Every structure is written in C-alpha cells, then in structure tokens.
C-alpha cells in the first residue's frame, strides 16, 4: 500500500507514493540499494527513532516524528554512509528525496498526516 503524506501546518503535499516499513526486515532494508528516489516517493519507518544510510546511493531528507505525526527533528540531504543520532521523542521516521523538506518549508513542530493513496486505476477510454 502507498501513502499520501501531507504537511498540515504548511498545506503542502510531501509524498503521494510513500511506502511504509513496519517489519524488522523492511525497516532494516529501508531505501538501501535504490538508485534514485523520485519526488513524491518516500519511506515511512514505524517504529523508528534512529536511522542509517549505509549502502545507500543517494542523499535523503529525514523527518523524525512523534506518535502524533509532529516533526521533532529533521535532517536535510543526509548523505550515504551516515548514522543519525538517537531521537528519543521520535516514534517514526519519514525518508524523502533530498530537497523535499526545504522546498515545502517543513520545519520542526509541523504536523504531518498520512492517508492511503488512491490505487492507480485503469486509463479512461
């Protein structure tokens, strides 16, 4: 299932094709090995309060979220082969293409909302 992620505070769409990683394996693998991450894509890792970018090929924007979806910390354009600090207030992490948080004006304290993305349907005739 894909998710839409909206910044309710700014009225901005952050992703319309975000994936959710909840199993140990999915959380561990995350975005490893991806050659690119297009605008509109992302990964929501639940539960999570620290990440690594080992074996990644691209920088990512990272938003650490509390249980209510409030941004408690953000990292802009985190490069490959890094480890974040432990964010004790965080319950989950949203990983996005580098530049997404700055382009949307997202700041710590902003509230994000997740809703299922509409499935892609057949093309109209």
């Amino acid at each position: 299932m894909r998710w839409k992620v909206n910044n309710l505070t700014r009225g901005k769409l952050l992703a319309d094709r975000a994936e959710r990683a909840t199993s140990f394996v999915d959380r561990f693998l995350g975005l490893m090995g991806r050659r690119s991450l297009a605008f509109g894509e992302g990964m929501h890792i639940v539960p999570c309060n620290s990440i690594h970018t080992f074996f990644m090929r691209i920088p990512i924007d990272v938003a650490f979220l509390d249980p209510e979806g409030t941004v408690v910390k953000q990292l802009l354009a985190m490069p490959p082969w890094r480890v974040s600090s432990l964010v004790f207030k965080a319950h989950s992490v949203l990983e996005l293409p580098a530049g997404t948080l700055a382009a949307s004006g997202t700041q710590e304290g902003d509230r994000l909302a997740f809703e299922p993305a509409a499935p892609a349907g057949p093309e109209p005739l």
Side-chain angles (χ1 to χ4, degrees), residues 57-99:
R57 302 172 183 202
I58 54 173
I60 56 172
D61 281 355
V62 181
F64 291 87
L65 309 173
D66 72 9
E68 288 76 41
T70 301
V71 178
V72 295
K73 182 177 176 79
Q74 59 183 9
L75 302 172
L76 304 180
M78 183 176 178
W81 297 97
R82 301 294 193 278
V83 177
S84 76
S85 60
L86 187 63
V87 180
F88 290 102
K89 293 180 181 179
H91 171 71
S92 67
V93 170
L94 178 63
E95 298 177 341
L96 298 164

Side-chain angles (χ1 to χ4, degrees), residues 18-84:
E19 299 173 47
R20 182 166 285 162
T22 56
S23 73
F24 174 79
V25 172
D26 288 344
R27 290 190 331 257
F28 177 76
L29 293 176
L31 298 172
M32 279 196 285
R34 299 236 182 137
R35 293 183 185 274
S36 65
L37 189 62
F39 281 98
E41 295 180 332
M43 176 74 66
H44 185 216
I45 305 172
V46 184
C48 184
N49 61 4
S50 177
I51 65 159
H52 68 83
T53 56
F54 299 147
F55 304 102
M56 291 183 62
R57 302 172 183 202
I58 54 173
I60 56 172
D61 281 355
V62 181
F64 291 87
L65 309 173
D66 72 9
E68 288 76 41
T70 301
V71 178
V72 295
K73 182 177 176 79
Q74 59 183 9
L75 302 172
L76 304 180
M78 183 176 178
W81 297 97
R82 301 294 193 278
V83 177
S84 76

Side-chain angles (χ1 to χ4, degrees), residues 4-15 20 44 62-74 92-96 100-101 104-115:
K4 282 177 64 174
V5 185
N6 286 293
N7 181 329
L8 298 178
T9 306
R10 310 281 168 196
K12 300 282 185 173
L13 178 67
L14 298 180
R20 182 166 285 162
H44 185 216
V62 181
F64 291 87
L65 309 173
D66 72 9
E68 288 76 41
T70 301
V71 178
V72 295
K73 182 177 176 79
Q74 59 183 9
S92 67
V93 170
L94 178 63
E95 298 177 341
L96 298 164
T100 302
L101 295 177
S104 64
T106 299
Q107 300 288 317
E108 292 176 15
D110 286 2
R111 180 85 180 264
L112 306 187
F114 294 79
E115 64 182 78

